[in-house]
Every structure is written in C-alpha cells, then in structure tokens.
Amino acid sequence: MTTAPAAIAFEGDRRIAIGALADVAAAVRKRISKPTHENILIFDYASGKSLNLDLSGSEKDIRARLAAASPAAMAAPEDAAPNAPRGPGRPKLGVVPREVTLLPRHWDWLNAQPGGASVALRKLVEEARKTRGQSDTLRARQEAAYRFITAVAGDRRNYEEANRALFAGDADRFLDLTESWPADIRDHARHLATAAFSSHKKT
C-alpha cells in the first residue's frame, strides 16, 4: 500500500520535494546550502499548513530528529494550537481537562443530567460529530486548499475568483481560473481543491 506524502516543498513557483517529512527536510537543506536560491516554503501535504522545520545540523541529524515526527507538530506558530500544560484528568483514557465558559443556567442544566456535566457534554459532542461530520470535513478540506493558495498564489491572476469558486463548490470554474498558474502550484492547489469538491457533493 502506497503511503500518502506527509509534506511538500516549493522554491518559488517550483516544487522541489514531496514525501516523508524527513525526506522533504533533507532535500530543502541541500537546496538552501546552495549559494543562491529562491524563497522556500514547506507545507503539510494534506492540511495545507505551513511547516517550520529545524534544519540545523547534518542531514543525519535532521533525519533522526524528524523520522517519527508528524507534520502537525511542525505547524507554523500561527496555525499551531497552544501547548497548555496537562493537569489532572484520566490520561490513560485520553481525557484531559479544558476550561469551558458557560452561563449559570447552562451549568445548572448540565449538572442536572444523568452522569453530570462531563457525561452530558461528551454526549452532546458525539451527537454533533455525527450530525455535522460531513460539513466539518468539507470545511476542513476547503480551508486546506485556501491556506495553500493564499500562501503561494495570493498575488496570482484570478486568486480571489478561484477562492470564491472553491468555497462555492464550482470545480469547473476553479480549474479554468487556475489554468494560468505555474504548473507545480496549480497542480497541488487542484489536488487539495479536488478533495473539497468531492466533499461538497456529499453535503
């Protein structure tokens, strides 16, 4: 079974690496060691998030550091979730505490439910996941394409119109509007957008 790429890197308009995180990082390190190079951007292949990779040390050091790392852990600060310290909870079950702000009447209702507030909240979340699963998937895929397009094609012709077509689920128009973009950028933008268009048909 073929493993999906974890990351993709671009130098200017050209794709220079795609594959496992460590492989992409090693390729980028080789490129930036050259006397001249254009701006290089690295992205999570699926989510379109910009990645900040530590390229210090030798290629062996980089591969060892990133061999078991996930792209999500390398997300740029503006995309990364805050790393809050873990407090008391039930870590063996994957339960961690979070602060929830509700009005007194909301707490009163939750506390009156069988099992208390925690059980009631978990049930509400699970029900919402079932009923909103497809729309959440659609939004996540649209945002993935939007992130990438904004980072690499924000000054390209038809940029705004292409985004409107993306969120409207208009695949044919998106293809037409991105036709003039540099091939490598266009192809990855279309790859991400195709997943969004596929989800759009199911909603």
Side-chain angles (χ1 to χ4, degrees), residues 70-125:
S70 68
M74 306 296 164
E78 62 269 20
D79 290 325
N83 186 18
R86 179 172 291 186
R90 300 165 69 189
K92 289 185 179 180
L93 298 179
V95 177
V96 292
R98 293 286 191 271
E99 182 176 317
V100 177
T101 303
L102 297 172
L103 294 173
R105 65 176 181 273
H106 298 148
W107 284 115
D108 290 342
W109 183 86
L110 285 169
N111 289 325
Q113 302 308 302
S118 294
V119 171
L121 281 172
R122 285 197 289 272
K123 287 181 178 178
L124 289 171
V125 170

Coordinates of all heavy atoms in Angstrom, one line a residue, residues 70-125:
S70 N 5.4 14.2 13.3 CA 4.3 14.4 12.4 C 4.2 15.8 11.9 O 4.7 16.7 12.7 CB 3.0 14.1 13.2 OG 2.8 15.0 14.2
P71 N 3.7 16.1 10.7 CA 3.6 17.4 10.2 C 2.9 18.4 11.2 O 3.2 19.5 11.3 CB 2.9 17.3 8.9 CG 3.2 15.9 8.5 CD 3.3 15.1 9.7
A72 N 1.8 17.8 11.9 CA 1.0 18.7 12.8 C 1.9 19.3 13.9 O 1.7 20.4 14.3 CB -0.1 17.8 13.4
A73 N 2.9 18.5 14.3 CA 3.8 19.0 15.4 C 4.7 20.1 14.9 O 5.3 20.9 15.7 CB 4.6 17.9 15.9
M74 N 4.8 20.3 13.5 CA 5.7 21.3 13.0 C 5.0 22.5 12.4 O 5.6 23.3 11.7 CB 6.6 20.6 11.8 CG 7.3 19.4 12.2 SD 8.5 19.7 13.5 CE 8.9 18.1 14.1
A75 N 3.7 22.6 12.6 CA 2.9 23.7 12.1 C 3.5 25.0 12.5 O 3.9 25.2 13.7 CB 1.5 23.5 12.5
A76 N 3.4 26.0 11.6 CA 3.9 27.3 12.0 C 3.1 27.9 13.2 O 1.9 27.5 13.4 CB 3.7 28.2 10.8
P77 N 3.7 28.8 14.0 CA 3.0 29.3 15.2 C 1.6 29.8 15.0 O 0.8 29.5 15.8 CB 4.0 30.4 15.6 CG 5.3 30.0 15.1 CD 5.0 29.3 13.8
E78 N 1.3 30.4 13.9 CA 0.0 31.0 13.7 C -1.0 29.9 13.5 O -2.2 30.1 13.7 CB 0.0 32.0 12.5 CG 0.3 31.4 11.2 CD 1.8 31.5 10.9 OE1 2.6 31.7 11.8 OE2 2.1 31.4 9.7
D79 N -0.6 28.7 13.1 CA -1.5 27.6 12.9 C -1.6 26.6 14.1 O -2.5 25.8 14.2 CB -1.1 26.8 11.7 CG -1.4 27.6 10.4 OD1 -2.4 28.4 10.4 OD2 -0.6 27.5 9.5
A80 N -0.5 26.7 14.9 CA -0.4 25.7 16.0 C -1.3 26.0 17.1 O -1.5 27.2 17.5 CB 1.0 25.6 16.5
A81 N -1.9 25.0 17.7 CA -2.7 25.2 18.9 C -1.8 25.4 20.1 O -0.7 24.9 20.2 CB -3.5 23.9 19.2
P82 N -2.3 26.2 21.1 CA -1.4 26.5 22.3 C -1.1 25.2 23.0 O -1.9 24.3 23.1 CB -2.3 27.4 23.1 CG -3.7 27.2 22.6 CD -3.6 26.8 21.2
N83 N 0.1 25.1 23.5 CA 0.6 23.9 24.2 C 0.4 24.1 25.7 O 1.3 24.4 26.4 CB 2.1 23.7 23.8 CG 2.6 22.3 24.4 OD1 1.8 21.5 24.7 ND2 3.9 22.2 24.5
A84 N -0.8 23.8 26.1 CA -1.1 24.1 27.6 C -0.6 22.9 28.4 O -0.6 21.8 28.0 CB -2.6 24.2 27.7
P85 N -0.1 23.2 29.6 CA 0.3 22.1 30.5 C -0.8 21.2 30.8 O -2.0 21.6 31.0 CB 0.8 22.8 31.7 CG 0.1 24.2 31.7 CD 0.0 24.5 30.2
R86 N -0.6 19.9 31.0 CA -1.6 18.9 31.3 C -1.8 18.9 32.8 O -0.9 18.7 33.5 CB -1.2 17.6 30.7 CG -2.2 16.5 31.0 CD -1.9 15.2 30.3 NE -2.0 15.3 28.9 CZ -1.9 14.3 28.1 NH1 -1.6 13.1 28.5 NH2 -2.0 14.5 26.8
G87 N -3.1 19.0 33.2 CA -3.4 19.0 34.6 C -4.0 17.6 34.9 O -3.9 16.7 34.2
P88 N -4.7 17.6 36.1 CA -5.3 16.3 36.5 C -6.4 15.9 35.5 O -7.0 16.7 34.8 CB -5.9 16.6 37.8 CG -6.1 18.1 37.8 CD -5.0 18.6 37.0
G89 N -6.6 14.6 35.4 CA -7.6 14.0 34.5 C -7.5 12.5 34.4 O -7.0 11.9 35.4
R90 N -7.8 11.9 33.3 CA -7.7 10.5 33.1 C -6.8 10.2 31.8 O -7.3 9.8 30.8 CB -9.1 9.9 33.0 CG -9.9 10.1 34.2 CD -11.4 9.9 34.0 NE -11.6 8.4 33.8 CZ -12.8 7.9 33.4 NH1 -13.8 8.7 33.1 NH2 -12.9 6.6 33.3
P91 N -5.5 10.5 31.9 CA -4.7 10.4 30.7 C -4.6 9.1 30.1 O -4.5 9.0 28.8 CB -3.3 10.8 31.3 CG -3.3 10.6 32.8 CD -4.8 10.9 33.1
K92 N -4.8 8.0 30.8 CA -4.8 6.6 30.2 C -6.0 6.5 29.2 O -5.9 5.7 28.3 CB -4.8 5.6 31.2 CG -3.5 5.4 32.0 CD -3.6 4.3 33.0 CE -2.3 4.2 33.8 NZ -2.3 3.0 34.7
L93 N -7.0 7.2 29.4 CA -8.2 7.1 28.5 C -8.2 8.3 27.5 O -9.1 8.4 26.7 CB -9.5 7.2 29.4 CG -9.7 6.1 30.3 CD1 -11.0 6.3 31.1 CD2 -9.7 4.7 29.6
G94 N -7.1 9.1 27.5 CA -7.0 10.2 26.6 C -7.9 11.4 27.1 O -8.2 12.3 26.3
V95 N -8.2 11.4 28.3 CA -9.1 12.5 28.9 C -8.2 13.6 29.5 O -7.4 13.3 30.3 CB -10.0 12.0 30.0 CG1 -10.8 13.1 30.6 CG2 -11.0 10.9 29.4
V96 N -8.3 14.8 29.0 CA -7.5 15.9 29.5 C -8.5 17.0 29.8 O -9.5 17.3 29.1 CB -6.4 16.4 28.5 CG1 -5.4 15.4 28.3 CG2 -7.1 16.8 27.2
P97 N -8.2 17.8 30.9 CA -9.1 18.9 31.3 C -9.0 20.1 30.4 O -7.9 20.4 29.9 CB -8.7 19.2 32.7 CG -7.2 18.9 32.7 CD -7.1 17.7 31.8
R98 N -10.1 20.8 30.1 CA -10.1 22.0 29.4 C -11.1 23.0 30.1 O -12.0 22.5 30.7 CB -10.5 21.8 27.9 CG -9.6 21.0 27.1 CD -8.4 21.8 26.7 NE -7.6 21.2 25.7 CZ -6.6 20.3 26.0 NH1 -6.3 19.9 27.2 NH2 -5.9 19.7 25.0
E99 N -10.8 24.2 29.9 CA -11.7 25.2 30.6 C -12.9 25.5 29.6 O -12.7 25.8 28.4 CB -11.0 26.5 30.9 CG -11.8 27.6 31.5 CD -11.0 28.8 31.9 OE1 -9.9 28.6 32.4 OE2 -11.6 29.9 31.7
V100 N -14.1 25.4 30.1 CA -15.3 25.7 29.4 C -16.1 26.8 30.0 O -16.3 26.8 31.2 CB -16.2 24.5 29.3 CG1 -17.5 24.8 28.5 CG2 -15.5 23.3 28.6
T101 N -16.4 27.9 29.3 CA -17.1 29.0 29.8 C -18.6 29.0 29.4 O -18.9 29.0 28.2 CB -16.5 30.3 29.3 OG1 -15.1 30.4 29.7 CG2 -17.2 31.5 30.0
L102 N -19.5 28.8 30.4 CA -20.9 28.8 30.2 C -21.6 29.7 31.2 O -21.1 30.1 32.2 CB -21.4 27.3 30.4 CG -20.8 26.3 29.4 CD1 -21.3 24.9 29.9 CD2 -21.3 26.5 28.0
L103 N -22.8 30.0 30.8 CA -23.7 30.8 31.7 C -24.2 29.9 32.9 O -24.2 28.7 32.7 CB -24.9 31.4 31.0 CG -24.5 32.4 29.9 CD1 -25.8 32.8 29.1 CD2 -23.9 33.7 30.5
P104 N -24.6 30.5 34.0 CA -25.0 29.7 35.1 C -26.2 28.7 34.8 O -26.2 27.6 35.2 CB -25.5 30.7 36.1 CG -24.6 31.9 35.9 CD -24.4 31.9 34.4
R105 N -27.1 29.2 33.9 CA -28.2 28.3 33.5 C -27.8 27.1 32.7 O -28.4 26.0 32.8 CB -29.3 29.1 32.8 CG -28.9 29.6 31.4 CD -30.1 30.3 30.7 NE -29.8 30.8 29.4 CZ -29.2 32.0 29.2 NH1 -29.0 32.8 30.2 NH2 -29.0 32.4 27.9
H106 N -26.7 27.3 32.0 CA -26.1 26.1 31.2 C -25.5 25.1 32.2 O -25.7 23.9 32.0 CB -25.1 26.6 30.2 CG -25.6 27.6 29.2 ND1 -24.8 28.6 28.7 CD2 -26.8 27.7 28.7 CE1 -25.6 29.3 27.8 NE2 -26.8 28.8 27.8
W107 N -24.8 25.6 33.2 CA -24.2 24.7 34.1 C -25.3 24.0 34.9 O -25.1 22.8 35.2 CB -23.2 25.4 35.1 CG -21.9 25.8 34.5 CD1 -21.4 27.0 34.2 CD2 -20.9 24.9 34.0 NE1 -20.2 26.9 33.6 CE2 -19.8 25.6 33.5 CE3 -20.8 23.5 34.0 CZ2 -18.7 25.0 33.0 CZ3 -19.7 22.9 33.5 CH2 -18.6 23.7 33.0
D108 N -26.3 24.7 35.3 CA -27.4 24.1 36.0 C -28.0 22.9 35.2 O -28.3 21.8 35.8 CB -28.5 25.1 36.3 CG -28.0 26.1 37.4 OD1 -27.0 25.8 38.1 OD2 -28.6 27.2 37.5
W109 N -28.2 23.2 33.9 CA -28.8 22.1 33.1 C -27.9 20.9 33.0 O -28.3 19.8 33.1 CB -29.1 22.7 31.7 CG -29.8 21.7 30.8 CD1 -31.1 21.4 30.7 CD2 -29.2 20.8 29.9 NE1 -31.4 20.4 29.8 CE2 -30.2 20.0 29.3 CE3 -27.8 20.6 29.5 CZ2 -29.9 19.1 28.3 CZ3 -27.6 19.6 28.6 CH2 -28.6 18.8 28.0
L110 N -26.6 21.2 32.7 CA -25.6 20.1 32.6 C -25.5 19.3 33.8 O -25.5 18.0 33.8 CB -24.3 20.7 32.2 CG -24.1 21.2 30.8 CD1 -22.8 21.9 30.6 CD2 -24.1 20.0 29.8
N111 N -25.4 19.9 35.0 CA -25.3 19.2 36.3 C -26.5 18.4 36.6 O -26.4 17.4 37.4 CB -25.0 20.2 37.4 CG -23.6 20.8 37.3 OD1 -22.7 20.1 36.9 ND2 -23.4 22.1 37.6
A112 N -27.7 18.8 36.0 CA -28.9 18.0 36.3 C -29.0 16.8 35.4 O -29.9 15.9 35.7 CB -30.1 18.9 36.1
Q113 N -28.1 16.6 34.4 CA -28.2 15.5 33.5 C -27.7 14.2 34.2 O -26.8 14.3 35.0 CB -27.5 15.8 32.2 CG -28.0 17.0 31.5 CD -29.5 17.0 31.3 OE1 -30.0 16.0 30.7 NE2 -30.2 18.0 31.8
P114 N -28.1 13.0 33.8 CA -27.6 11.8 34.3 C -26.1 11.7 34.1 O -25.6 11.9 32.9 CB -28.3 10.7 33.5 CG -29.6 11.4 33.1 CD -29.2 12.8 32.8
G115 N -25.3 11.5 35.1 CA -23.9 11.4 35.0 C -23.2 12.7 35.2 O -21.9 12.7 35.2
G116 N -23.9 13.8 35.2 CA -23.3 15.1 35.5 C -22.9 15.8 34.2 O -23.1 15.3 33.1
A117 N -22.2 16.9 34.4 CA -21.8 17.8 33.3 C -20.9 17.1 32.3 O -21.1 17.3 31.1 CB -21.2 19.1 33.9
S118 N -19.9 16.4 32.8 CA -18.9 15.8 31.9 C -19.5 14.8 30.9 O -19.3 14.8 29.7 CB -17.8 15.2 32.6 OG -17.0 16.1 33.3
V119 N -20.4 13.9 31.4 CA -21.0 12.9 30.6 C -22.0 13.6 29.6 O -22.0 13.3 28.4 CB -21.8 11.9 31.5 CG1 -22.7 11.0 30.6 CG2 -20.8 11.1 32.3
A120 N -22.7 14.6 30.1 CA -23.7 15.3 29.2 C -22.9 16.0 28.1 O -23.4 16.0 26.9 CB -24.5 16.3 30.0
L121 N -21.8 16.7 28.4 CA -21.0 17.4 27.4 C -20.5 16.4 26.3 O -20.5 16.6 25.1 CB -19.9 18.2 28.0 CG -20.3 19.5 28.6 CD1 -19.1 20.1 29.4 CD2 -20.8 20.5 27.6
R122 N -20.0 15.2 26.8 CA -19.4 14.3 25.9 C -20.5 13.7 24.9 O -20.3 13.5 23.7 CB -18.8 13.1 26.6 CG -17.4 13.5 27.2 CD -16.6 12.2 27.6 NE -17.2 11.5 28.7 CZ -16.9 11.8 30.0 NH1 -16.0 12.8 30.3 NH2 -17.4 11.1 31.0
K123 N -21.7 13.5 25.5 CA -22.8 13.0 24.6 C -23.2 14.1 23.6 O -23.4 13.8 22.4 CB -24.0 12.7 25.5 CG -23.9 11.4 26.3 CD -25.1 11.1 27.1 CE -25.0 9.8 27.9 NZ -26.2 9.6 28.7
L124 N -23.2 15.4 24.0 CA -23.5 16.4 23.1 C -22.5 16.5 21.9 O -22.9 16.7 20.8 CB -23.6 17.8 23.8 CG -24.9 17.9 24.7 CD1 -24.7 19.2 25.6 CD2 -26.1 18.0 23.9
V125 N -21.2 16.4 22.3 CA -20.2 16.5 21.3 C -20.3 15.3 20.3 O -20.1 15.5 19.1 CB -18.8 16.5 22.0 CG1 -17.7 16.3 21.0 CG2 -18.6 17.8 22.8

